[in-house]
Each structure stands twice: as structure tokens, then as C-alpha cells.
Amino acid sequence: MSHNSFGHLFRITTWGESHGPAIGCVIDGCPPRIPLSEAEIQVHMDRRRPGQSRYTTQRRETDQVRILSGVFAPDEGEQLLTTGTPISLLIENVDARSKDYSEISQAYRPGHADFTYQAKYGIRDWRGSGRASARETASRVAAGAIARKVVPGLIVRGALVQVGPYPIDRTRWDWNEVDQNPFFCPDPEMARQWADYLDNVRKQGSSVGAVIEVIAYNVPPGLGAPVYGKLDQDIAGAMMSINAVKGVEIGAGFGAASLTGEENADEIRIGPEGVPEFQTNNAGGILGGISTGQPLIARFAVKPTSSILTPRRSINQAGEEIDVSTKGRHDPCVGIRAVPVGEAMMALVVADHHLRHRAQIGG
Ligand SMILES: Cc1cc2nc3c(=O)[nH]c(=O)nc-3n(C[C@H](O)[C@H](O)[C@H](O)COP(=O)(O)O)c2cc1C
């Protein structure tokens, strides 16, 4: 399987399968002398970790991350610093129950990657969906935690803004609410409604899709290359690379199609400190593929989890028509745990573009 690496100058390579002994990643190109501890990576791992509420898979993974290389404390007992050499991260799989998946070893779940992996490679690790499992995204979150530290002042935040047919009320948006409910929801009222809705979905053995919004603050103007290395192009590719993602928007996104030119163009004035100040941010912080200095705004839609209890029509490896229903432990809405993953992908893109900008233009 080729193409397991992402990024140019801040480049990650992830490895491992859902039910193998461990997963992990190697980060190549991280600048030296950045303070880094396992604990600060773990904060982000704990937000993505499964089994934290009844609305996510009950698989009990601790997702403890270990730094195997690329850091050193020049003074004994002092803070570890990155050395500029490859950083290798390891996350052990401690709660894999492969027998839950034996029924799908020969069957193709509709909506999952069983059919395409078999068609492409002629072999697939069906245990926990192997490399097609979102377990791989734990490595992205670990790498993203380091990427956040590469860009001075960078803050990346994510929120769930729609579950099934229910969007949040954006007038109630409160970032402080995001860590107060099991959904990363910035609207406390909608979080309560989602709880009842998802309880029902889960009891029926069904699943639903969702929309996630990710915002990067303190991104300086100038990141991005204007033709084939557009910042928005790379953010879209990054988000689309997450499992189950079916659509990505930047700024006003698809909504821009129904705006007039007057409504859409972000007007500019000189702010109190003499710096250009945009009056709105329909562009999502990017013009001509280059960051404006406004927050970067991306949204992505995830489809409903394909592993559901309701029988669906499919075929098996012998070419017979069968019905498939999936047992095992699955997320009724993968959008919840996709929030920290989206944040990580945004951080990885910004860190990579920060280094690419520095390489071409200077510090
Ligand atoms: C955080 C997260 C958790 C996921 N959990 C599950 C799951 O429990 N069961 C499942 O069938 N798919 C799950 N998925 C989606 C599958 O990994 C994905 O649908 C599959 O790899 C096929 O790829 P595609 O949907 O991108 O085409 C999850 C996705 C994400 C982002």
C-alpha cells in the first residue's frame, strides 16, 4: 500500500492496523528545539479516544502515546526538546476483539472499504477493518499535536455543527460549551437534543452523518502557494483524507453560490492599529490560495457509519448475494470523534505551509 505519507516539509507517515499490536507515525521535518512532552500530545489523544460516552464506540483503547525518538533533554531532568531528527510515535492497541469481525472476513459491508481493498490488493486485514479503520486517525491526532507547536501562536479548534438533519443555532455558539458535552457541540441546547436523537439511533442499531467545523486562529498572512499549492486546496485534501468524509467547504463554501458579489466579497478597511481589517470572512481566510491573516474556516461532512445492525444487501468473496449486518463495537455517529481528527489535519496543513513559506520567502 503506497501513499501513507502526508505533507511536504512537515511530513508524517502513519503505519499500522486496527487489530495489530500497535499503530503509530513518523514525523519528518519537525524543526529542532521545540519543547515537547508525551503529556501534551496525550491531551489531544484523550479527546479522540473511544469509549468516553455511550455515543461513541465502546472499544476501550487507552491511546497512550509514547515518543520513541527525535527528542532530547540537553540538561538532565529538564524539558525534552525536539532535535530535528525523525520523531517516532507509538500507540499500542490494547482492546482488539478480532472475532467480532469474523463474519465480515468473507462479506463486503455496503458503504465500507471491504470490497475495494479486496479488489485492489487481493487480500485484506478484516480484523477491525485493518488499515481502513479510523484507528489510523489516532496517529494523525498525535502528529497534529506536534504540528500545533510548530507555528507560533497557532490555535486550532473544532466543533460538531450538525448531527443528522439537526444543525446548531449559530447565534448560541459558545466555545466554552464544546468540552462540556459529549459531542464537542458549541450550542448547549442542541447538544441536549442530539443526546435524545442519538440514543434512539443507537437503540435502533442504525447510524447518522454529521458536519464538523474547524477554525485555525493566528495564521499569518502569506501562507500558501497560489497555483498548485493553494492553502484551501491542501486543507480540502487533508479533510477529505479522513475516513467517511464526503464533502468539504472553505468559508462560505457551497453557500457562496447563493450570495451576490456584494454580499460575498469581504470588504477591507484599515483597523485601529493601521493594519488591514476584513469586515467579513466568507473567504474562510484564504484568497488566491494564500492566507489573508483572518481565521481559516473549514467544514466537512461525514457519512453515517456503514457498520450497522440492520441487514443490508451485499455480496461475499465467493460472488454470492447475501445480507450483511455488522456486530462489533461501532460509532453510531463518526462525526463526534472526527472533531479532534479535523483539528489535527488543519494543524498539519498549517505547519507544513508555515515551513514551506519560510523556505521560499524567509522567516
Ligand atoms: C472517528 C471515526 C470513527 C469511525 N468509526 C467507524 C466505526 O465504528 N464503524 C465503521 O463502520 N466505520 C467507522 N468510520 C468510518 C470508516 O472508517 C470509513 O467509512 C471506511 O474506512 C470507508 O472509507 P470511506 O467512508 O472514507 O469511503 C469511522 C470514521 C471516523 C472518522
Side-chain angles (χ1 to χ4, degrees), residues 48 57 101 109 111-114 116-117 129 131-135 137 240-246 300 302-308 326 329-339 341:
R48 194 215 69 104
T57 167
Y101 291 83
R109 282 166 297 174
H112 215 290
D114 309 324
T116 48
Y117 266 57
S129 309
R131 185 97 177 125
S133 164
R135 182 106 194 95
T137 62
M240 194 54 101
S241 79
I242 301 171
N243 315 38
V245 172
K246 282 299 177 192
F300 58 94
V302 292
K303 69 189 191 185
T305 324
S306 49
S307 304
I308 47 174
T326 318
R329 299 163 293 172
H330 297 280
D331 290 278
C333 175
V334 305
I336 303 169
R337 294 201 301 129
V339 174
V341 184

Side-chain angles (χ1 to χ4, degrees), residues 45-342:
M45 304 302 288
D46 289 347
R47 294 176 70 234
R48 194 215 69 104
R49 195 157 53 81
Q52 300 195 75
S53 79
R54 62 182 186 275
Y55 308 105
T56 61
T57 167
Q58 294 306 301
R59 185 171 169 178
R60 299 270 163 205
E61 288 293 348
T62 54
D63 280 359
Q64 282 296 322
V65 68
R66 279 175 59 204
I67 305 176
L68 301 186
S69 68
V71 291
F72 180 65
D75 301 307
E76 214 180 316
E78 290 296 307
Q79 166 83 62
L80 288 169
L81 303 176
T82 61
T83 56
T85 62
I87 301 173
S88 189
L89 302 174
L90 181 96
I91 306 149
E92 282 180 44
N93 295 324
V94 296
D95 186 25
R97 286 194 215 151
S98 301
K99 73 170 176 11
D100 284 354
Y101 291 83
S102 52
E103 279 177 29
I104 59 133
S105 65
Q106 300 300 310
Y108 304 138
R109 282 166 297 174
H112 215 290
D114 309 324
F115 172 77
T116 48
Y117 266 57
Q118 191 68 38
K120 185 174 179 75
Y121 301 107
I123 181 171
R124 73 192 153 100
D125 181 348
W126 45 262
R127 303 164 309 158
S129 309
R131 185 97 177 125
S133 164
R135 182 106 194 95
E136 187 270 344
T137 62
S139 301
R140 301 175 187 223
V141 171
I146 301 176
R148 289 171 193 259
K149 306 203 68 181
V150 168
V151 186
L154 176 68
I155 295 173
V156 180
R157 304 205 67 176
L160 198 59
V161 296
Q162 182 170 334
V163 170
Y166 302 110
I168 60 159
D169 178 342
R170 298 183 79 89
T171 63
R172 290 197 293 247
W173 188 300
D174 179 357
W175 276 121
N176 295 323
E177 288 294 331
V178 165
D179 292 322
Q180 305 301 320
N181 60 71
F183 309 111
F184 301 110
C185 178
D187 169 359
E189 174 51 36
M190 188 46 71
R192 282 187 281 276
Q193 288 187 42
W194 287 348
D196 292 341
Y197 173 62
L198 282 176
D199 272 334
N200 250 328
V201 169
R202 198 172 45 87
K203 278 179 202 145
Q204 286 165 12
S206 185
S207 64
V208 287
V211 179
I212 295 94
E213 183 160 321
V214 180
I215 306 181
Y217 297 96
N218 302 334
V219 177
L223 303 197
V227 180
Y228 296 120
K230 290 187 163 110
L231 190 56
D232 36 2
Q233 164 194 352
D234 285 354
I235 292 171
M239 298 308 174
M240 194 54 101
S241 79
I242 301 171
N243 315 38
V245 172
K246 282 299 177 192
V248 184
E249 293 186 329
I250 306 291
F254 277 80
S258 53
L259 298 178
T260 61
E262 292 84 349
E263 288 167 332
N264 181 64
D266 300 313
E267 293 185 298
I268 316 174
R269 279 285 173 252
I270 299 295
E273 284 160 31
V275 289
E277 210 174 69
F278 289 87
Q279 307 298 298
T280 49
N281 191 7
N282 289 315
I286 303 164
L287 291 170
I290 301 171
S291 60
T292 61
Q294 291 177 282
L296 306 180
I297 304 174
R299 270 180 303 281
F300 58 94
V302 292
K303 69 189 191 185
T305 324
S306 49
S307 304
I308 47 174
L309 286 173
T310 325
R312 300 279 84 193
R313 290 180 300 166
S314 186
I315 57 169
N316 62 18
Q317 238 159 274
E320 295 157 335
E321 293 184 347
I322 53 165
D323 281 353
V324 178
S325 68
T326 318
K327 297 185 190 68
R329 299 163 293 172
H330 297 280
D331 290 278
C333 175
V334 305
I336 303 169
R337 294 201 301 129
V339 174
V341 184

